[in-house]
Amino acid sequence: MSTPRRHSAVRRSSVAAILGACWCLAHPMAIGAEIDFYRDVYPILKSNCIACHNKTTTKAALNMETPEAMRKGGDSGEGVIPGNGAESLIFQAAAHIGNVEMPPRGNKSGASKLKPDELALLRAWIDQGAKSSVKQTRQVVWQPLPPGVHPIYSVAMTRDGRVAACGRANQVFVYDLATRQFDESLTNAHKALVQSLAFSPDGMRLASGSFREVKIWRRENGPVTSRKGDPALGVVVSVLSADRKQVVCADKQGTLHVLDAANGESLKTIPTDDQGGTPLLSLSPDATKAALYGTRGTLSLWNLLDGRRIASKDGLLGVRTLTWTRDGKTIATGGEDKVVRLWPLPIGDGPGLVASKEFKGATAAIMALEAGTDLLIAAGADGKVQVWNIPEAKPIREIAIAGVVALGLSEDSKRFAAGRSDGVVQVFDLVAGNPIIELSGDPETNARLAALDSVIAAEGLEMAFQKQEAIRIEAQSKGLDELLKKASESIEAVKKELVEKQNALKPATDAKEAAQKAATAVTDQVAKAPEGKPDAALVKLQKDAEEKLMAATLAESTALTAFKASEIHLKDAEAEAQNYSSARARNKTAVAAANAADARAKAAQDKATADATATKKAAADHKLLPLAVRFSTDQQAVGVAWSDGSLRVWAIASGLPTQHLPGGGGTTNASLVSCGDNVFAASVADGSTAVLSTASRWILERTLGGESADSPLVDRVNALRFSPDGKTLAAGGGEPTRSGDISLWDVASGKLVNEWKERHSDAVLSLDFSPDGKHLASGGADKIARVTDIASGKLLNVFEGHTHHVLGVSFRADGRVLATAGADNSVVVWDMISGERKKKIEGWSKEVTSLQYIGATNQILTSAGDNLVRIVDDNGGVVRDMAKLPDFMQSAASAATASLMIGGGEDSVLRVWNGTTGQELATFGPDASAKKP
């Protein structure tokens, strides 16, 4: 029987022989060719070994990423012996020769046992000297993404909550949250999956990150133009054609002027002989005819192509409103006689204008009219809006709305908008007869109020912090008072002790002096003894005197030491008391400073509150009259022309004012049209025009990095964040398990400003700038969050508290707190002043995938793998959970307030919530359509 040692040697020899044979038969380079490490060996090691043996994860202290590292070896010694593959530890472990078998069975990396030809190649490379080689740059060969692969890994939202974006597969989808509609798809934005998204603070740029590249997209809003009317024309009323090409005006003499809407040039002048002026003017839908009503009570119809009067009707007094039906076949009038009349166009040389139908029922003057083809809406001064079926001359519905002065009907005639004299526009569902929403305000006022609300919230945070600081310091001062009291008591006790020690010292000193004197006297006697030989009695006397002197000296020394010790004790006690007093004084100053800061914050908050109140009051007091109301062509927005010449647009779904074009001055008349390219155009009494496009598109501004291997972005860009001033873009990524890199880019030029290679030992997964823009927080797969000073690149904080990847980082608005989200199912809150952990928040069953502080609050929005989008406060309290989430949630984002928030995950649905109530407002699937609850 062979011994185990011999059995092992035999087995090793036979295995080596077999592998050698495999090599010769299986590999064409066996015949004299040199094996290239990176071309031939490294792919095998990467698939089966490097996951556990790299510079980040070096199990058994062995790194197998380079030949040099393998030669160095690990805990068990050298990994390879150049020229001797059979005796090299790495080869033996891979071949399962001996006691070590690699990779081990059931490993978590999914590594497989090397095949015979792979083992043969590894041994042959070692036999050839285990040489290194030049690492070849491999060109990435992109393959089409499989159909149906479109999870949402990242979402982003502008601070004002107007625009949201999410990444699906390699595309970026952009949504208008005001209209709750899909806006645009940045198709094929990247070749690989979109890993990260970020909006600039002003919402005008969007950055998207993917493999080795970042793209910056710039929002390009539609054109806004205006043209001032010519005062020399003296026109007092004007109407814009539906195609925006012409403006038809009337002057005080009743003369019609047809102008080029773009440049104001006169195209045609038509005298009407109506010397009484023209208070009302309406244009047919095809812009070939104009209906005029003069102050003398004449309603006339004119052909704008040849300048001919088609027909007229005299004696119509008190007409206040005039419009055309959409088919252009009928004119509708209403006024003080409370009757709406329909005037069909005469055929041929008929007898003139004759009313075909009269709609009665109003109890007060008709103030506004709007007509479709088969539907007529009339608003009376009695606060009633009547809806009529034109063909059947039947009333359909009556709705109570006070003060209506302008009406607009949607293209499908299912909705109408009523502009009221109080400056509010109401949108109604005509089918159900229910109000949909009230529209008021303007974007500038809303932005001003949002900014003031942010100040109020931020100062509230500051006040809370300073109050807590004052409480903390005062509690500390109470402790100091106790210590100072004890120190004072100690001083008094030591002083008494010192007196006692001093009193004890004098007798000891006197006793020593007396003993010294006695000893000296005896010594003198001894010296005088005959022949210098004292008798026994004198010798004994001298010995006794010396012993007494020694005892007295010792007693004095002991007393003196005790006295000195008491003096030192007193000095120490007095110094300690002084330290307590100084600390108490510093605390008093600190409390005063905290109270002063609290007072300043309160004053700033009060001022912001007062400014907000004043802004609201000014907006309420600035009474404007809506002169014309129109729906957008997609029926998702309402435009209104106002008595100050301004033009405003609202989104119906949210009620948010989206655009505002200031006017050039007061006007008594306005017309408004909407066009198919998301454009509103208006004209006012003096012939001035304005064109406002509600459309926008995202243009690729620049690409950072790129597909090539020399890109400064070496792998997936997992995190993006704009600096608070929007001038710098931070990108985080790195090679998984090897490095966590951060780069800073100048947004305007696209230049790389700074980079911190290997700031983390594994890939960077999250980033956030401090509110002042001076620091950058980063979280990585190395389970650590770090804070870097941007100016110097110095590492300020290293926060170790997670046991898994740090998937999110977010600064609170005051910069004093940092929150981190972990794949260990927790959120950790860190004190940036002390550098210590404040709170660990648990309650998730899977990884917390993202987090964001909501505006200037202590509330944190989180997403998680357990289907949760949740709001918590940084003390650990749960504020709200969003319901109806069917799948793993990868990312969530909030506006500056909790009024709007979004979340997305594995089911590819982007969800929109009102974070204040938890109500789901809309959902967007990968087909880009929106579903509203």
Side-chain angles (χ1 to χ4, degrees), residues 15-37 39-42 44-45 67 70-71 80-88 90-92 94-95 97 114-132:
V15 169
I18 292 169
L19 291 174
C22 288
W23 162 249
C24 292
L25 293 172
H27 210 287
M29 286 186 289
I31 307 173
E34 184 168 313
I35 300 170
D36 184 284
F37 172 75
R39 183 191 63 203
D40 305 321
V41 179
Y42 184 79
I44 299 172
L45 301 180
M70 285 193 284
R71 283 197 293 270
V80 297
I81 303 171
N84 191 350
E87 297 299 323
S88 293
I90 287 177
F91 171 75
Q92 292 176 358
I97 299 172
L114 269 61
K115 300 173 183 176
D117 60 328
E118 292 173 333
L119 285 167
L121 179 62
L122 176 62
R123 177 185 170 180
W125 169 70
I126 299 172
D127 287 341
Q128 289 184 6
K131 299 175 185 176
S132 187

Side-chain angles (χ1 to χ4, degrees), residues 60 78 80 89 171 174 208 324 330 463 508 514 520 523 539 578 635 740-741 771 775 777 827 838 871 917:
E78 287 182 279
V80 297
L89 181 62
Q171 299 182 49
V174 182
S208 58
W324 288 76
T330 307
M463 289 163 59
T520 300
T523 301
V539 170
Q578 180 59 44
Q635 304 181 80
D741 304 335
H775 303 148
V827 169
K838 287 187 66 176
I871 302 174
T917 63

